[in-house]
Amino acid sequence: MKYIITFGSAHLKDFNINPAKTALIVEGNDEHEARDKVFNFNGISNNFCTSYEYSEMEKFKKLGFKEITLDELEKLRK
């Protein structure tokens, strides 16, 4: 399953990206596994706000959020 991870404006300082408009898309067998992947990703740890099921993505798109994967985020590392 896919999950959306969101961030606050003070998060993702190690990356060239606007964290407040980033919807990190992470796959996992369940939400706990997806959150663990993010927690263990170098440069994020517990610096994220919350998670949502991917079925809610349309709401985020209407607010101007950009979808990005962990692989894509890694390429934006400072």
Side-chain angles (χ1 to χ4, degrees), residues 50-62:
T50 193
S51 52
Y52 304 87
E53 290 187 9
Y54 187 76
S55 61
E56 297 186 50
M57 190 60 215
E58 199 57 40
K59 296 175 192 174
F60 289 96
K61 286 181 181 179
K62 289 179 181 177

Side-chain angles (χ1 to χ4, degrees), residues 29-40:
N29 291 322
D30 56 31
E31 192 167 1
H32 180 74
E33 182 181 325
R35 290 174 65 89
D36 279 350
K37 286 181 181 182
V38 176
F39 182 82
N40 292 315

Side-chain angles (χ1 to χ4, degrees), residues 2-3 8 12 15 24 26 28 44 46 54 60 63-64 67 77:
K2 287 184 182 179
Y3 295 91
L12 299 180
F15 305 91
L24 183 64
V26 182
I44 297 180
N46 64 347
Y54 187 76
F60 289 96
L63 295 171
E67 286 187 57
R77 189 176 295 278

Side-chain angles (χ1 to χ4, degrees), residues 5-43:
I5 308 296
T6 60
F7 302 90
S9 61
H11 296 152
L12 299 180
K13 293 181 180 182
D14 295 341
F15 305 91
N16 290 313
I17 196 165
N18 177 359
K21 290 293 183 177
T22 297
L24 183 64
I25 309 304
V26 182
E27 292 192 37
N29 291 322
D30 56 31
E31 192 167 1
H32 180 74
E33 182 181 325
R35 290 174 65 89
D36 279 350
K37 286 181 181 182
V38 176
F39 182 82
N40 292 315
F41 190 80
N42 185 25

